[in-house]
Amino acid sequence: AQKVTQAQTEISVVEKEDVTLDCVYETRDTTYYLFWYKQPPSGELVFLIRRNSFDEQNEISGRYSWNFQKSTSSFNFTITASQVVDSAVYFCALSDFNSGGSNYKLTFGKGTLLTVNP
Amino acid sequence: EAGVAQSPRYKIIEKRQSVAFWCNPISGHATLYWYQQILGQGPKLLIQFQNNGVVDDSQLPKDRFSAERLKGVDSTLKIQPAKLEDSAVYLCASSPHDPETQYFGPGTRLLVL
């Protein structure tokens, strides 16, 4: 069965520090998609990135970067030079085919609460 | 482009009462999802629609929850009767089609007393 593990429940850093959020996933599918979402205190889930299982190229977007490693089933997220506005809950999610069904199913980890202190 | 709209944003009810939530997806998105997010956890899929048909409702507690998307656009999720454990945030999401990226609305925070 598909599973997403975010071992870090809470992380607290001081502004300008770099921080890495870990994500480990389990799936039997060869085609799947990985996501990161941000949930600020307002509650809305904000899409950050989507990767498919055939594209292991790391990605950088401004202060954000993602490291996808199939060999270790990990999809880690790094924020460089963190800012107070980065404070939020971050969710890693896996989309793979719903065995027994006809759809792709998005499974979320439990999230990591990141607090960036000034 | 307008995002996913949900209403109400907050709702407080007593147990055994009924409640309904409304969602309007991003224009043109064929797939609509309802999730339940309990405090401290990630969202859990309740039901997925493709146009006006149900694709997956395997985790919907059908004895008390129901959902519809009659014209393939907006959708309502109903709970009747509500239980204390239904207190959660109910999130609606939409995507152009499965398995494209899902975009989420602001959610409805439900408190059952």
Side-chain angles (χ1 to χ4, degrees):
Chain A
Q2 60 271 71
K3 186 177 176 182
V4 178
T5 302
Q6 294 182 256
Q8 305 147 309
T9 306
E10 294 187 37
I11 300 176
S12 182
V13 299
V14 177
E15 207 170 17
K16 296 183 185 176
E17 283 186 20
D18 298 347
V19 58
T20 295
L21 309 181
D22 298 332
C23 173
V24 174
Y25 61 92
E26 290 178 32
T27 178
R28 285 177 285 191
D29 288 0
T30 54
T31 301
Y32 54 89
Y33 304 85
L34 295 164
F35 299 81
W36 276 95
Y37 284 87
K38 174 182 180 180
Q39 190 172 44
S42 60
E44 185 167 346
L45 276 164
V46 178
F47 165 72
L48 295 178
I49 189 170
R50 174 181 190 259
R51 306 295 283 172
N52 73 55
S53 53
F54 299 107
D55 184 2
E56 283 193 76
Q57 201 167 24
N58 291 332
E59 182 156 339
I60 298 174
S61 175
R63 296 183 298 106
Y64 295 170
S65 62
W66 291 269
N67 184 347
F68 176 26
Q69 292 196 336
K70 285 179 76 170
S71 60
T72 55
S73 297
S74 65
F75 186 43
N76 297 337
F77 172 30
T78 298
I79 302 175
T80 303
S82 60
Q83 300 176 0
V84 173
V85 293
D86 295 328
S87 296
V89 179
Y90 290 86
F91 289 97
C92 179
L94 163 71
S95 178
D96 62 355
F97 200 74
N98 182 19
S99 58
S102 60
N103 59 307
Y104 274 76
K105 194 160 187 172
L106 192 60
T107 302
F108 285 83
K110 291 189 174 181
T112 297
L113 172 62
L114 173 65
T115 303
V116 182
N117 299 297
Chain B
E1 181 183 77
V4 177
Q6 289 187 248
S7 68
R9 293 295 312 277
Y10 305 92
K11 191 75 178 178
I12 301 174
I13 62 173
E14 306 224 335
K15 61 183 179 184
R16 292 188 288 274
Q17 285 187 325
S18 62
V19 64
F21 313 127
W22 175 83
C23 172
N24 191 33
I26 293 172
S27 178
H29 281 193
T31 312
L32 185 147
Y33 314 78
W34 283 101
Y35 288 84
Q36 180 192 59
Q37 185 178 19
I38 293 173
L39 188 65
Q41 297 183 21
K44 182 187 82 171
L45 179 69
L46 292 175
I47 189 168
Q48 176 180 341
F49 292 94
Q50 180 71 24
N51 297 308
N52 60 349
V54 175
V55 173
D56 184 354
D57 63 358
S58 58
Q59 297 190 94
L60 186 74
K62 298 180 188 65
D63 58 332
R64 298 183 300 105
F65 286 64
S66 64
E68 60 183 15
R69 192 184 184 200
L70 292 175
K71 296 182 180 178
V73 181
D74 56 353
S75 174
T76 55
L77 175 70
K78 297 179 182 177
I79 308 175
Q80 182 179 15
K83 292 185 175 180
L84 297 177
E85 58 261 35
D86 298 332
S87 295
V89 177
Y90 291 85
L91 294 161
C92 180
S94 71
S95 69
H97 57 80
D98 192 36
E100 290 291 324
T101 299
Q102 296 181 29
Y103 296 92
F104 285 79
T108 297
R109 293 179 186 270
L110 174 67
L111 179 60
V112 182
L113 301 175

